[in-house]
Amino acid sequence: MSFRIGQGFDVHAFAEGRRLVLGGVEIPHNLGLAGHSDADVLTHAVCDAVLGAAGLGDIGRHFPDTEAQYKDADSLELLQKVVAAVLAKGYHVSNVDATVIAEVPKLAPYIEQMQTRLAAKLNVSAEQVNVKATTTETLGFTGRREGIAAMAVVLLTEAP
Ligand SMILES: [Zn+2]
């Protein structure tokens, strides 16, 4: 059995008139996130971590934001495509650990649902996906409520 680790990081700015989608869960808030797709910053970080672990580049290479087909794309569908590419290389997701960095809104009520939604696309059980939320104690761009950042680490296993 061999192991491969990958990490992902993403940031999106808050914008008016947009939905706030994190880990495939729509969260009620007065602002959403700006982006070409649904701007699901958490799912993007997970996609990049999975791609990185498999040595498959990054999300921008697979789903360019210059392509109309990815406008307002459901990022969970992008994750499903990423996982399919990784499975095709003989890797399986062992576990995912992710952190969402946001001053607002409070995310605790939605964490479990995010884990369930991500796990379904990652082909794993919800216990293999951990999502955490934190603030930066009002410091920096997330602290000034300008946007949301997300980080993710993924471990892949390769069956011999
Ligand atoms: Zn993104």
Side-chain angles (χ1 to χ4, degrees):
M1 182 98 81
S2 74
F3 300 94
R4 296 181 65 107
I5 194 165
Q7 60 97 17
F9 176 71
D10 196 28
V11 172
H12 283 264
F14 277 127
E16 286 180 16
R18 295 273 306 175
R19 298 184 305 144
L20 175 58
V21 182
L22 294 173
V25 179
E26 187 160 347
I27 294 164
H29 191 53
N30 62 325
L31 296 171
L33 292 175
H36 185 69
S37 65
D38 62 6
D40 185 338
V41 64
L42 170 58
T43 300
H44 292 177
V46 171
C47 282
D48 263 353
V50 173
L51 288 168
L56 288 172
D58 62 41
I59 192 172
R61 192 175 102 192
H62 290 265
F63 313 109
D65 63 9
T66 50
E67 283 192 23
Q69 60 171 312
Y70 300 122
K71 174 131 177 51
D72 298 321
D74 178 345
S75 294
L76 282 185
E77 283 177 23
L78 305 185
L79 178 60
Q80 193 165 23
K81 287 181 183 162
V82 161
V83 171
V86 164
L87 293 176
K89 280 193 89 175
Y91 300 123
H92 287 87
V93 175
S94 178
N95 77 300
V96 174
D97 186 25
T99 304
V100 180
I101 304 156
E103 203 68 31
V104 285
K106 285 274 169 268
L107 300 177
Y110 308 102
I111 295 286
E112 216 176 288
Q113 211 181 341
M114 291 180 205
Q115 291 174 163
T116 303
R117 297 246 166 118
L118 289 169
K121 300 301 180 189
L122 287 159
N123 246 1
V124 299
S125 66
E127 298 81 67
Q128 289 164 281
V129 180
N130 192 77
V131 174
K132 309 183 295 297
T134 190
T135 70
T136 50
E137 300 284 344
T138 75
L139 298 172
F141 66 89
T142 57
R144 291 189 298 269
R145 306 180 176 202
E146 292 168 6
I148 294 180
M151 300 188 292
V153 177
V154 169
L155 188 71
L156 299 181
T157 53
E158 184 181 25

